[in-house]
Every structure is written in C-alpha cells, then in structure tokens.
Amino acid sequence: MKTIRSNEFKKYGLVLDIDTKEIVEYLKNKAKMPENGNIYIPHEDEFYLLEEVKEIEKKYFGQLSLQAGYCNGFNTKLNCLEYHATHEINVAATDLVLILGHYNDIKNDQIKVEDLEIFKVNKGEAILVYPGTLHFSPCRVDDSGFKMAVFLHKGTNLPLESKSSDPKLWAVNKWLYAHKDTKQAHDGAYVGIIGENIEIKY
C-alpha cells in the first residue's frame, strides 16, 4: 500500500506541514462516533474556535468562509467516489486509508476501479486534496474505526436548493459516482463505478 509521502500521491494532493495536535485531540475527545457505519458532520461550532482551524482558514481558503467538520466511522469499502470544484483539507486523527482517483480517469461518465489508488494516512498527517480528485469516506485500519477532520469551502456537501439536471450533482459542490451495490445507488445516486467494490482488509 502506498503512503501520502509517495510520488504517486502528488497528482491528487499535497501533504501539509502544519501543527495538527489540537485538531487530533478535539476529534479524539469530543467528536461523535457512530455505533456502526459512518457519521459525517459538515460543520461543528466548537471546531471553529481552535487556533489550528483558524490558521487553516487564513492560510488555505483565500478569505472564503471555511466549513469545519469531520467524518468518523467504521467503513472498509470504496462504495462511492465524489469530487468538488474546490479543494479540501483533511487531518487524520487516527491512522486510516483513502481510495483516490482523478477526474481525468472518468470516461463516458464512468470510473474503472482499476484506475484507483490506495493510500495510507497516519494519525496527525494533514493533506490538501485538489479539486477534481475523486475520493470518499476513509477506511479503517483496525476495529476501533477512523476519525478524520474535513475542511471545505462553506456550503460544500450541504443539500441542494433545487434538483439539478445533472444526476451526478448529489449535493452542493459534490458530484457523486456510486457503486451499484451501495445504499447510495439504492437511494438514487448515479451509478458510475465499474468493477468490484474495493474492500480494505486488515
């Protein structure tokens, strides 16, 4: 398995040299953990009070408003891929795995599983994910699950104000491709992942 320090990661994002101790501690002690599955909280009021979060907004969001939240859970599968028109910053509060692809790999509105790459992210590491990088929920590497901070431009991933003519636009600034064997596909998400649903085994 590759790591985010490998050359292969460079087309998907940047590894950030920033202090993350405060963020990791917050997620460890205060962030909700589901009994099973995943939980995604787009914005958490207390999160914005952390000095490290304020510094991320100032340095990486060009005076646009930050949306500070997190994704925690027990996922082990690819399931879906999404991309945004703007960048995303993630901080791993536990070791975890990301399955990534690139917008340029989309052919005829489909993505082949064989074109995706798998990367390990260690606790405390921070990355900036480029616009157009295909990603979705992290995968756990042990039974305790994963915790990851998610920093986005304000409004991203929130419900659409009105239905879009593009079936892939699933939420604000969120284009989603689902694997056929997923809840998202059952709920009407665009099915565009071709191949076996990747599972991370540990």
Side-chain angles (χ1 to χ4, degrees), residues 42-74:
H43 50 87
E44 177 89 345
D45 290 343
E46 283 187 57
F47 223 172
Y48 296 88
L49 303 177
L50 302 184
E51 290 302 319
E52 289 174 3
V53 174
K54 292 177 183 177
E55 188 61 27
I56 285 173
E57 181 174 35
K58 186 187 305 180
K59 189 170 183 180
Y60 296 104
F61 283 81
Q63 298 189 4
L64 292 173
S65 295
L66 174 74
Q67 181 170 287
Y70 59 84
C71 182
N72 296 344
F74 298 93

Side-chain angles (χ1 to χ4, degrees), residues 122-151:
N122 294 322
K123 178 181 177 180
E125 289 184 320
I127 57 174
L128 184 152
V129 179
Y130 294 141
T133 291
L134 303 170
H135 62 284
F136 199 57
S137 166
C139 294
R140 64 181 179 177
V141 296
D142 58 43
D143 290 343
S144 62
F146 70 85
K147 291 186 174 183
M148 186 180 78
V150 180
F151 303 119

Side-chain angles (χ1 to χ4, degrees), residues 40-164:
Y40 172 59
I41 304 297
H43 50 87
E44 177 89 345
D45 290 343
E46 283 187 57
F47 223 172
Y48 296 88
L49 303 177
L50 302 184
E51 290 302 319
E52 289 174 3
V53 174
K54 292 177 183 177
E55 188 61 27
I56 285 173
E57 181 174 35
K58 186 187 305 180
K59 189 170 183 180
Y60 296 104
F61 283 81
Q63 298 189 4
L64 292 173
S65 295
L66 174 74
Q67 181 170 287
Y70 59 84
C71 182
N72 296 344
F74 298 93
N75 180 55
T76 60
K77 291 187 175 183
L78 167 64
N79 291 329
C80 296
L81 289 164
E82 67 182 32
Y83 71 88
H84 311 301
T86 51
H87 65 258
E88 175 175 332
I89 290 177
N90 300 134
V91 175
T94 63
D95 291 353
L96 53 86
V97 168
L98 293 177
I99 304 171
L100 303 178
H102 195 278
Y103 182 83
N104 291 340
D105 296 326
I106 300 172
K107 310 295 182 187
N108 298 317
D109 277 338
Q110 295 181 330
I111 306 154
K112 293 182 179 178
V113 167
E114 63 200 53
D115 291 329
L116 305 177
E117 297 187 84
I118 302 171
F119 296 91
K120 174 80 179 301
V121 189
N122 294 322
K123 178 181 177 180
E125 289 184 320
I127 57 174
L128 184 152
V129 179
Y130 294 141
T133 291
L134 303 170
H135 62 284
F136 199 57
S137 166
C139 294
R140 64 181 179 177
V141 296
D142 58 43
D143 290 343
S144 62
F146 70 85
K147 291 186 174 183
M148 186 180 78
V150 180
F151 303 119
L152 293 157
H153 290 84
K154 189 174 182 179
T156 300
N157 286 337
L158 299 186
L160 295 169
E161 291 184 5
S162 59
K163 186 173 176 63
S164 171

